Amino acid sequence: MTLNLNWKKIFLIVTDIAIACYLFLAVTAFNRPDDSHFVCTEVNIKICDNIMDGFLNVNDIKSLLEQKKIYPKHKLMRDVNTRLIEETLKQSPFVDEAQCYKSHDGHVFITLTQRMPILRVMSDDGDDYYIDDAGGIMRNTKYASNIIVATGSISHQFAQKTLKDVGNEIIHNKFWRNQVEQINVLPDATVEMVPRVGNHIIYIGKPVKLVEKLSRLEKFYRYGLSQAGWNKYSRISVEFDNQIICKKNNVTKK
């Protein structure tokens, strides 16, 4: 008798749970708006940038989607293909990741992260392209961007493996990001930097121990060069450990 009562209780509990789940789903489905006649009234585009400004802006994304005839605004929500929008944006050489989703109030949200150019390479052999922070090559475009130019004897391999590290060290240091204007690679694969302030060339030597070299140079800039004068030297070398070698400017007095 006790066993029968336990089974009856279990059966009643399971039945109650099943009915509750059914009612919940039914009410949810009943209250869910039917988006078959909804129109997209707003498109929210967000571009996630890191340290530097990239190539893309909101108008660029809008124009790209309009050219492909998939810009969501004023389209029926049922016709907005979020997957197609994502795949279309990812085809851009400047887009790293893209996400798109729509809400029941007629809004479409697009979020993307773009590849971050850190250097523009203009090599002696005529190549002209950008390097991103991961070492990827980005074709040259009509877009203008205030980034460091690298010139000289630069192969694709050197740019992707070595210059990428140099560029990243510079842009992740606020002081040098604002100070360096140009990098020049010499035929022996050593590196020079051209600063925005001062009439001198900074000789890095082999692009190794960059953190140490740039840290030593920054201290010299702050506590030495600022007192001596920005144009006192024509060349400043941090090639060797624990040394800064300066060559004075030869100024002919009239």
Side-chain angles (χ1 to χ4, degrees):
M1 180 66 68
T2 303
L3 182 61
N4 290 336
L5 288 176
N6 288 340
W7 277 110
K8 287 181 179 179
K9 288 183 179 179
I10 294 172
F11 176 76
L12 290 174
I13 292 172
V14 171
T15 302
D16 289 341
I17 293 174
I19 293 173
C21 291
Y22 170 78
L23 291 174
F24 173 78
L25 293 173
V27 171
T28 302
F30 180 77
N31 290 326
R32 181 179 298 166
D34 179 11
D35 66 355
S36 61
H37 300 293
F38 282 4
V39 172
C40 175
T41 58
E42 185 173 343
V43 180
N44 300 277
I45 300 174
K46 180 181 179 182
I47 301 175
C48 302
D49 289 326
N50 295 320
I51 293 175
M52 299 175 59
D53 292 332
F55 289 109
L56 298 175
N57 56 46
V58 172
N59 288 332
D60 293 326
I61 301 303
K62 179 181 177 181
S63 296
L64 175 60
L65 297 178
E66 286 177 338
Q67 289 173 8
K68 300 295 184 179
K69 301 187 184 304
I70 56 174
Y71 188 65
K73 196 167 186 178
H74 304 313
K75 291 181 178 293
L76 291 173
M77 291 295 282
R78 67 185 181 191
D79 295 332
V80 176
N81 189 331
T82 57
R83 177 62 63 85
L84 179 59
I85 290 174
E86 291 175 349
E87 294 302 322
T88 300
L89 292 176
K90 288 178 183 178
Q91 290 175 8
S92 167
F94 308 120
V95 174
D96 187 21
E97 293 291 339
Q99 291 184 333
C100 179
Y101 65 94
K102 49 188 176 180
S103 64
H104 290 298
D105 58 359
H107 291 190
V108 172
F109 297 84
I110 300 172
T111 303
L112 61 87
T113 56
Q114 57 182 321
R115 297 172 64 188
M116 299 307 299
I118 58 173
L119 295 172
R120 180 179 179 181
V121 177
M122 302 177 68
S123 66
D124 290 343
D125 60 8
D127 276 345
D128 188 351
Y129 54 90
Y130 296 95
I131 290 291
D132 67 18
D133 55 353
I137 291 178
M138 304 168 63
R139 61 180 173 81
N140 189 13
T141 70
K142 63 182 178 64
Y143 295 99
S145 186
N146 185 26
I147 65 175
I148 300 168
V149 175
T151 58
S153 304
I154 306 172
S155 66
H156 280 203
Q157 182 179 12
F158 187 85
Q160 292 179 282
K161 292 187 176 181
T162 303
L163 273 188
K164 177 256 299 183
D165 293 335
V166 177
N168 275 320
E169 288 295 342
I170 292 173
I171 68 166
H172 284 88
N173 182 305
K174 184 177 180 181
F175 179 83
W176 292 114
R177 185 168 71 246
N178 295 324
Q179 180 67 11
V180 177
E181 183 175 48
Q182 181 177 336
I183 295 171
N184 187 42
V185 180
L186 303 178
D188 62 355
T190 57
V191 173
E192 296 175 335
M193 298 193 309
V194 180
R196 297 182 187 277
V197 179
N199 188 25
H200 56 266
I201 297 296
I202 300 167
Y203 183 66
I204 297 294
K206 294 291 183 181
V208 296
K209 299 182 179 180
L210 289 171
V211 174
E212 178 186 321
K213 289 179 178 180
L214 292 179
S215 176
R216 189 179 347 135
L217 187 59
E218 182 178 348
K219 291 176 182 177
F220 178 70
Y221 260 63
R222 292 184 183 277
Y223 306 113
L225 199 59
S226 60
Q227 299 296 323
W230 295 103
N231 297 320
K232 183 174 182 178
Y233 303 108
S234 62
R235 181 181 174 87
I236 300 172
S237 172
V238 289
E239 178 183 11
F240 303 110
D241 292 347
N242 303 315
Q243 294 184 42
I244 296 179
I245 302 173
C246 301
K247 181 180 179 181
K248 284 187 177 180
N249 245 326
N250 294 320
V251 179
T252 303
K253 294 184 180 180
K254 294 183 178 180

